[in-house]
Amino acid sequence: MKAKAPSILSADLKITGSIVSDGEVQLDGSVEGDVRATDLTIGEEASIKGEVVAENVVIRGRVVGSVRARQVQLSATARVEGDVIHATLAIESGAFFDGLCKRSSDPLSDAKSSSASSSKPASQSSSASTPTSAASNTPPPAAASADKAVANDPFTSKS
């Protein structure tokens, strides 16, 4: 069987909607939507706002959204703001990553099950952020208990 050439989406291309490919995709433009491919290379000037699902993904540009792939490589110029679910992950020095990373033996099957129940993870993430914000409001009581601990500390001077 003859090897197929990669689909190249150039830097001047802006797509609003999803991209689905059974082959290799090289993305240099911008996409507002999900991208699914077998092999995906996101160029330095490229940006994606949506979910990325691929067997292998190399990120050199910007992704705002979750990444699910068996092999994920974040190059030094990568900027990822979202969760990464992977079987293997490589992060070069200089890459920016803000999110959670989770190892999964089969991250692509996780993507199928999460897309079937996409409303459930969204509600979980919003409820997960609520305790975080509540926790950020708890330092004043913690500070008060810290003051008691200092007051009971035998090494502090009582003057």
Side-chain angles (χ1 to χ4, degrees):
M1 185 165 118
K2 186 177 178 182
K4 295 180 181 178
S7 299
I8 300 173
L9 306 174
S10 67
D12 60 346
L13 188 63
K14 294 181 182 178
I15 297 175
T16 303
S18 298
I19 297 173
V20 178
S21 174
D22 289 332
E24 183 179 349
V25 174
Q26 179 179 331
L27 176 64
D28 293 317
S30 65
V31 176
E32 288 194 28
D34 299 340
V35 179
R36 299 180 189 281
T38 303
D39 294 306
L40 178 62
T41 302
I42 301 168
E44 288 185 29
E45 300 300 317
S47 70
I48 297 175
K49 289 184 182 179
E51 183 179 39
V52 172
V53 179
E55 288 282 332
N56 305 301
V57 63
V58 176
I59 302 174
R60 296 185 181 108
R62 181 176 181 151
V63 175
V64 178
S66 63
V67 177
R68 292 182 173 272
R70 293 192 199 288
Q71 295 182 5
V72 178
Q73 178 183 342
L74 303 183
S75 299
T77 56
R79 181 171 182 87
V80 177
E81 298 175 38
D83 298 344
V84 175
I85 293 85
H86 60 87
T88 61
L89 174 63
I91 303 175
E92 291 181 2
S93 178
F96 176 88
F97 173 53
D98 185 13
L100 300 173
C101 76
K102 178 182 177 188
R103 189 195 175 291
S104 171
S105 59
D106 194 7
L108 300 180
S109 70
D110 293 346
K112 292 174 188 169
S113 64
S114 73
S115 63
S117 60
S118 59
S119 62
K120 188 174 182 180
S123 65
Q124 288 175 346
S125 64
S126 64
S127 66
S129 63
T130 305
T132 307
S133 62
S136 64
N137 293 334
T138 53
S145 63
D147 290 340
K148 288 180 184 178
V150 170
N152 294 332
D153 186 2
F155 298 107
T156 57
S157 63
K158 297 180 182 179
S159 38

